[in-house]
Amino acid sequence: ICGFSWSSFVSRVNLSLSLLQTVEHGFPHQPSALAFDPKLELMAIGTKSGAIKVYGSPGVEFTGLHADTTAVTQIHFLPGQGRLLSLLDDNTLHLWELVAGSCRCVEDRCMCPHPLHPHPPHPPALLLSATRVTVLLLMRSGDLLCVGTEGGGVYFLELPRLSLKESQTLLQDQIIQRRVLPDDYRCGKSLGPVESLQEHPQRPGKLLIGYSRGLVVLWESTSRRVEQLFLGKQQLESLVWERSGNLFVSSHNDGGYSVWAVTTGNNVIHQPVSSTIPYGPFPCKAINKILWRTTQTGSPVVLYSGGMPRASYGDRHCLTIQQDKEHVTLDFTSRVIDFFTVHGVEQDEGRQFDEPSAVVVLLEEELVVMDLRTPGWPSLPTPYLAPLHSSAITCSFHVSGVPPKLWERLANAGRAHWPICGGKNLAPPPKNQELLLTGHEDGTVRFWDASGVALTPLYKLSTANVFHTDCDPSDDPQDPSDDPDMQQEEEWPPFRKVGCFDPYSDDPRLAIQKISLCKYSNKLVVAGTAGQVIVLGLSDERSAHPVDVSVVDLLQDREGFTWKGHDRLEPRLKPASFPPGFQPLVLVQCVPPASVTAVALHAEWNLISFGTSHGFGLFDYHRRNAVLARCTLHPNDSLAMEGPLSRVKSLKKSLRQSFRRIRKSRVSGKKRPVATPTSKEANAALAEQEDVAPIQRRIEPRSADDSLSGVVRCLCFADTFLRDGTHHGATLWAGTNSGSVYAYALEVPGVGSGRACERGAGEGGVCVEAVLGKEIQLMHRAPVVSICVLDGRGKPLPDPYEASQDLAIAPDMANAHSVLIASEEQVFSLPKVSAKTKFKLTAHEGCRVRRVALVAFGSVAQEDYCEHTLVCLTNLGDMHLFSIPGLRPQVRYDCIRKEDISGIASCVFTKNGQGFYLISPSEYERFSLSAKTLTEPLCSVQLDRPLHATPARSG
């Protein structure tokens, strides 16, 4: 491929092409730390892979990556400075500053014994353990950092240089040697690691130091003396000051918390003012963190994580909110990492109370925000960081240029105020609205606003209410409200299910496999694992109606076939209630109920086509009748069923073919060059071995009786010439796993001979007919990945309704059309079956085409000029671009790691040169092949003081 120059093509049309990773959408994978800057109103999340992501108002995002993939254990903002500190699991500390669209590491220091104890140069392992960092506290002055360690010492570092101030170091021995300390704290074990450091809210320089054994010390850092000792009896977990500084609260590992009074004249406090175990008296789990926020009503808001009764609810992940008699236990489906409240912090504005407005909870799988100002404390919808994987993503579909009417009907009106609103989004408003649809394992389809940096949830559609599932609500046991004993048990703790992450599916047959949406007619087709194909229409009103059900037998009563897979889903026969939005019109069930592998929708003709591992069908949803059912199974393929035997046979064949290829490579006697598949050396070596073109690769022929050869890989509707070169009409194209292509001529009322109109009720007596026009068998039987018809100018045919409603340029019907067929191992063009252009892409190393798209690249010089290019993603994770219709290779990019099988399988392209693929179960990576069309963070933060001039260092 490298033998062709891309520069000539670029200079001719002034197209600007490049591969850029632009933004990551979704919830960070494996979060491990949380921080909030109340002055800049920015939130930071650290992950186990060493990433730091900073979020403000929608569109304001910053990203930083540590050099090592080590877990971030703590993050702390330097309030108002646009800087933050990160502590990693390897005991290193890093200082970051925010720059345009990213974070930059400006200083880093190792928090192992080297800076604390310079000698000896190689300290023993015991010393390493004794000085491991457990907690960090940034003083309000912003120039001093307190470091608590596992050995019980407290060290002070000067910012921003992170240099140690040895004169202020506080070791544990200085506390133990005090005479007023009781004997039970002196002998035996030490005071334990430092668990918490908190600065006095009114008197800077005073510190609360909490040790794990329960002792709390009020330390005056200026005069270096202990002002008070608080003798806790339980293992300490966390500390928090009350706003006035007269009280502080401690939480413990027995599930309780205590309120302590800070008084003058008493150096040793033996008992707290109050102590309670909220969910006692039976043994409870530890309260890991507690917050105490004051309000004008007089009753503080107390928030804490954990504390659940061990025997009954020890496996629950909970956060409790209490204020006076109001008490809610938020019940999550994943572990609580950390949380903070959004409240007033400025002391000079006369604020005497915290008045928290929201609590932000970082969970292992999602972010939950609760509104503390509204009665009942409801949850707030998130404009970003929504968990894409609330149920596992099984497919995705992108729609660009969404019409305003459809957008308005999908968008949520009156979205609640988002409490994290720092920074300013500098990106201009998007020219076009874009939708990303994701299908999920639980049978839901979620609609996302993909127009900008923030991937915002718009709408959620559930298909489960169309069927009787294995976990149907009618099959649930007796309602707990009917049983007094059960009702009493559920009253305490007052649980409330919060969050949308639910990794468990009621019925695996509900999983969505294929999605197709017509943005002009508001018709949606959703296909699933059990052979179900649902046609839905958009409605603004709630309705209750039965769903028409049709069964299509793809085997056509083939003898000797036994289905050993799952049963089909049973549809509801009684009218079901459907909320406003997309509502089901008709349900098509394939027989046998195999997973749907391909689907196509042509709303202008009221037709849908669907394919499985056994064949494909054509359905007229306007008249509710099946037009075509074609079996694609090979006569020798008796195992085209989703059972264990077919997998065994497929595995054996795959191993056999792999060994065969290894033997052939050894017999050749030539060592394969270690180079990219596009290098000239590799091309020359292969050209010597075989009589092939220098830029092409050898293709491995496949057996005709490969199992699963009947799987339908792609479907395509087109208004083109099939029977002859003078009369065009509706056609259906289907490609299979064995390299077969079927082309059907369709008799659709009102379509053909240059005529296309909306079919109405007056045509009720006319039925759609399908006649097989052509059947093509690829020589090497490679699976057909994509089929697309090009008009006389070599341009893709417009989408349904675009040409008839003057939304796009009408296709050229004066010249001959071409059909562009992309197989797993070849890309070639065939007009009227006779080969016109062919390009063999497959590599000798095992390259396979996985995704294909026709993309319009715009010109930089001319705003209204663009050219279409064929983009291929292979199983090696690289992108190949070809000109059409000539199929000349233009450029190649490395995009996805070849080991990232999930990312390659999930990739979806947009029509303007962008794309998405999963980099984790909860995150999409967005990329762009066009430098003209980019979606990336363009934002700024207004700092309250300028940054120091510090040289940048890689972190």
Side-chain angles (χ1 to χ4, degrees):
I1 295 177
C2 64
F4 289 86
S5 174
W6 179 240
S7 59
S8 60
F9 183 69
V10 175
S11 61
R12 182 166 57 89
V13 296
N14 281 323
L15 299 181
S16 181
L17 293 181
S18 64
L19 176 63
L20 298 174
Q21 310 285 350
T22 55
V23 67
E24 295 176 0
H25 296 300
F27 182 76
H29 185 51
Q30 294 183 327
S32 55
L34 178 69
F36 181 64
D37 187 338
K39 291 186 177 181
L40 298 181
E41 295 182 298
L42 296 176
M43 175 181 65
I45 296 178
T47 71
K48 291 184 179 180
S49 61
I52 292 181
K53 298 176 181 292
V54 181
Y55 302 92
S57 59
V60 177
E61 294 188 11
F62 301 86
T63 302
L65 294 174
H66 292 88
D68 299 324
T69 56
T70 307
V72 181
T73 57
Q74 295 185 46
I75 309 177
H76 298 271
F77 273 101
L78 280 66
Q81 298 186 30
R83 287 181 168 179
L84 65 158
L85 287 159
S86 63
L87 175 67
L88 303 187
D89 195 41
D90 61 359
N91 226 33
T92 59
L93 188 65
H94 304 258
L95 178 61
W96 299 80
E97 68 179 11
L98 303 181
V99 296
S102 63
C103 301
R104 181 177 64 181
C105 185
V106 293
E107 286 288 345
D108 61 85
R109 290 289 186 270
C110 178
M111 296 310 298
C112 66
H114 271 293
L116 304 182
H117 304 280
H119 303 287
H122 301 288
L126 180 61
L127 189 58
L128 277 168
S129 172
T131 55
R132 184 172 181 82
V133 177
T134 56
V135 63
L136 299 175
L137 172 66
L138 183 68
M139 305 293 281
R140 282 200 305 277
S141 60
D143 56 2
L144 201 62
L145 177 69
C146 302
V147 180
T149 64
E150 195 174 27
V154 180
Y155 303 87
F156 294 84
L157 302 180
E158 185 179 359
L159 294 175
R161 297 184 55 84
L162 293 176
S163 57
L164 176 66
K165 302 185 70 172
E166 297 186 10
S167 61
Q168 295 192 22
T169 299
L170 172 63
L171 300 179
Q172 197 175 106
D173 294 342
Q174 298 175 250
I175 305 298
I176 296 178
Q177 292 171 2
R178 293 187 59 83
R179 297 179 180 179
V180 294
L181 191 68
D183 293 338
D184 55 346
Y185 284 93
R186 295 172 180 271
C187 15
K189 299 182 296 181
S190 65
L191 299 177
V194 178
E195 291 292 341
S196 183
L197 293 171
Q198 298 290 330
E199 187 179 11
H200 197 287
Q202 304 294 337
R203 300 165 64 183
K206 280 192 175 184
L207 295 178
L208 269 183
I209 306 173
Y211 298 93
S212 65
R213 285 187 61 193
L215 178 68
V216 180
V217 177
L218 181 59
W219 172 260
E220 172 57 62
S221 59
T222 304
S223 58
R224 294 187 51 78
R225 64 185 182 89
V226 176
E227 287 197 353
Q228 281 184 302
L229 296 175
F230 303 89
L231 307 180
K233 303 300 182 184
Q234 292 291 334
Q235 180 175 323
L236 183 70
E237 295 291 332
S238 71
L239 296 172
V240 63
W241 280 105
E242 188 261 345
R243 188 182 182 91
S244 65
N246 298 324
L247 300 172
F248 73 88
V249 184
S250 61
S251 67
H252 305 275
N253 75 329
D254 64 344
Y257 66 88
S258 302
V259 179
W260 301 81
V262 180
T263 58
T264 57
N266 191 358
N267 293 334
V268 181
I269 308 297
H270 293 271
Q271 297 292 334
V273 176
S274 63
S275 184
T276 179
I277 301 179
Y279 299 110
F282 299 106
C284 296
K285 299 191 71 175
I287 293 180
N288 309 108
K289 179 178 179 178
I290 189 168
L291 296 179
W292 182 286
R293 301 300 184 222
T294 58
T295 63
Q296 292 183 0
T297 60
S299 299
V301 178
V302 184
L303 309 97
Y304 52 88
S305 59
M308 289 293 103
R310 288 186 178 271
S312 304
Y313 307 108
D315 59 342
R316 299 284 186 99
H317 310 290
C318 298
L319 177 78
T320 300
I321 308 177
Q322 288 181 253
Q323 185 181 24
D324 200 9
K325 295 182 180 181
E326 292 187 70
H327 187 149
V328 173
T329 305
L330 305 179
D331 188 9
F332 306 109
T333 56
S334 58
R335 182 170 59 93
V336 178
I337 304 296
D338 201 355
F339 62 96
F340 64 84
T341 58
V342 180
H343 61 279
V345 293
E346 297 295 337
Q347 303 288 343
D348 55 355
E349 294 183 7
R351 290 196 180 100
Q352 300 179 358
F353 304 98
D354 294 315
E355 293 297 336
S357 59
V359 57
V360 180
V361 188
L362 176 65
L363 305 170
E364 198 168 35
E365 302 292 350
E366 62 182 318
L367 186 80
V368 174
V369 180
M370 308 299 295
D371 184 0
L372 298 181
R373 290 180 175 176
T374 305
W377 300 326
S379 59
L380 294 176
T382 57
Y384 49 78
L385 287 177
L388 298 171
H389 66 315
S390 53
S391 176
I393 297 176
T394 51
C395 66
S396 55
F397 183 81
H398 184 269
V399 182
S400 59
V402 181
K405 291 184 178 179
L406 174 60
W407 188 265
E408 293 174 3
R409 297 174 71 179
L410 288 175
N412 295 330
R415 185 176 290 113
H417 175 68
W418 181 241
I420 302 169
C421 53
K424 184 178 181 181
N425 185 7
L426 302 179
K431 296 181 179 179
N432 297 309
Q433 303 292 350
E434 297 184 7
L435 280 176
L436 180 66
L437 281 65
T438 55
H440 297 264
E441 192 179 31
D442 61 355
T444 59
V445 178
R446 287 172 167 81
F447 292 68
W448 308 87
D449 178 4
S451 309
V453 172
L455 192 67
T456 307
L458 291 177
Y459 170 66
K460 174 184 172 182
L461 165 69
S462 177
T463 62
N465 54 354
V466 180
F467 307 98
H468 288 291
T469 63
D470 290 344
C471 298
D472 194 78
S474 61
D475 300 331
D476 288 346
Q478 182 182 4
D479 190 351
S481 60
D482 299 335
D483 189 341
D485 297 332
M486 293 181 66
Q487 185 177 1
Q488 184 177 2
E489 182 181 354
E490 290 296 330
E491 285 182 353
W492 188 259
F495 287 118
R496 182 200 296 177
K497 286 285 186 182
V498 179
C500 59
F501 176 74
D502 185 7
Y504 306 105
S505 174
D506 291 342
D507 194 326
R509 297 174 297 174
L510 291 171
I512 306 300
Q513 296 298 325
K514 296 295 176 181
I515 303 171
S516 182
L517 172 66
C518 177
K519 58 187 178 183
Y520 301 112
S521 64
N522 301 335
K523 291 294 187 299
L524 174 68
V525 175
V526 176
T529 304
Q532 71 272 25
V533 182
I534 309 174
V535 182
L536 304 101
L538 190 60
S539 175
D540 297 328
E541 304 293 335
R542 176 180 293 272
S543 65
H545 61 270
V547 179
D548 293 335
V549 181
S550 298
V551 177
V552 177
D553 186 2
L554 299 179
L555 295 178
Q556 299 173 330
D557 300 326
R558 181 170 179 176
E559 297 181 359
F561 182 89
T562 303
W563 169 253
K564 294 185 179 180
H566 47 65
D567 296 331
R568 70 174 184 175
L569 287 165
E570 291 298 328
R572 296 181 185 272
L573 301 179
K574 296 182 180 179
S577 178
F578 302 104
F582 280 99
Q583 299 176 354
L585 304 176
V586 61
L587 166 65
V588 180
Q589 292 188 300
C590 301
V591 175
S595 179
V596 178
T597 56
V599 71
L601 165 67
H602 202 295
E604 196 168 5
W605 302 341
N606 293 333
L607 294 176
I608 60 170
S609 182
F610 44 86
T612 69
S613 56
H614 306 89
F616 59 93
L618 179 64
F619 190 83
D620 182 351
Y621 62 84
H622 179 68
R623 294 175 177 79
R624 311 293 199 263
N625 71 293
V627 179
L628 169 68
R630 172 65 185 259
C631 180
T632 56
L633 295 182
H634 192 274
N636 298 332
D637 188 5
S638 60
L639 289 175
M641 61 191 75
E642 296 182 4
L645 293 179
S646 64
R647 299 179 186 273
V648 173
K649 182 178 179 182
S650 178
L651 177 61
K652 287 181 179 179
K653 282 192 166 290
S654 298
L655 291 174
R656 190 182 306 122
Q657 293 174 358
S658 299
F659 283 121
R660 185 184 301 124
R661 287 172 180 169
I662 293 174
R663 286 198 301 271
K664 288 184 178 181
S665 63
R666 289 176 178 174
V667 170
S668 64
K670 295 187 178 182
K671 186 177 180 181
R672 215 164 27 189
V674 183
T676 61
T678 60
S679 66
K680 294 182 179 179
E681 293 78 9
N683 287 326
L686 286 172
E688 292 178 3
Q689 296 179 31
E690 291 191 33
D691 186 16
V692 296
I695 60 169
Q696 299 180 8
R697 301 291 189 266
R698 180 175 59 192
I699 298 175
E700 183 72 21
R702 304 193 182 195
S703 174
D705 60 348
D706 274 352
S707 58
L708 300 183
S709 62
V711 175
V712 177
R713 296 288 296 271
C714 59
L715 294 163
C716 171
F717 286 108
D719 183 2
T720 185
F721 304 92
L722 184 62
R723 295 175 176 174
D724 54 56
T726 57
H727 300 86
H728 64 89
T731 60
L732 170 66
W733 299 74
T736 71
N737 216 44
S738 61
S740 298
V741 178
Y742 303 93
Y744 280 83
L746 307 181
E747 292 292 342
V748 180
V751 178
S753 300
R755 193 164 52 96
C757 64
E758 179 71 21
R759 293 159 55 205
E763 302 164 351
V766 182
C767 295
V768 179
E769 297 181 0
V771 179
L772 180 61
K774 304 290 183 183
E775 185 172 342
I776 309 168
Q777 178 61 58
L778 305 187
M779 181 182 302
H780 295 280
R781 310 187 66 86
V784 179
V785 179
S786 173
I787 301 176
C788 179
V789 176
L790 308 178
D791 67 4
R793 295 186 297 264
K795 305 294 184 182
L797 297 181
D799 291 336
Y801 287 107
E802 285 189 336
S804 61
Q805 297 185 11
D806 295 330
L807 300 172
I809 299 175
D812 182 2
M813 293 295 182
N815 300 306
H817 287 192
S818 299
V819 56
L820 179 64
I821 301 175
S823 73
E824 262 192 10
E825 299 184 349
Q826 301 176 77
V827 179
F828 59 96
S829 177
L830 300 171
K832 299 182 182 179
V833 184
S834 59
K836 177 181 178 182
T837 307
K838 180 185 294 187
F839 182 83
K840 300 177 182 179
L841 175 67
T842 182
H844 183 67
E845 291 80 3
C847 179
R848 296 281 190 273
V849 177
R850 287 291 178 259
R851 289 286 185 271
V852 176
L854 286 173
V855 175
F857 289 103
S859 170
V860 177
Q862 303 178 27
E863 184 67 26
D864 57 346
Y865 181 82
C866 71
E867 287 201 5
H868 287 82
T869 302
L870 180 68
V871 180
C872 295
L873 171 68
T874 72
N875 63 333
L876 300 180
D878 50 3
M879 300 277 189
H880 297 264
L881 278 70
F882 301 87
S883 65
I884 58 171
L887 295 184
R888 290 183 301 167
Q890 304 296 338
V891 70
R892 170 189 170 275
Y893 296 117
D894 292 324
C895 182
I896 309 174
R897 294 181 302 109
K898 64 180 180 180
E899 299 83 7
D900 189 2
I901 300 175
S902 175
I904 295 173
S906 63
C907 184
V908 58
F909 295 99
T910 72
K911 292 185 177 182
N912 56 10
Q914 299 190 78
F916 304 81
Y917 67 92
L918 288 173
I919 56 173
S920 73
S922 60
E923 294 173 285
Y924 273 108
E925 176 76 54
R926 188 170 188 150
F927 63 89
S928 178
L929 294 167
S930 170
K932 181 180 180 181
T933 306
L934 290 177
T935 303
E936 58 182 349
L938 296 174
C939 51
S940 66
V941 175
Q942 184 67 37
L943 308 179
D944 62 352
R945 59 178 175 178
L947 295 172
H948 299 285
T950 310
R953 297 180 57 184
S954 61

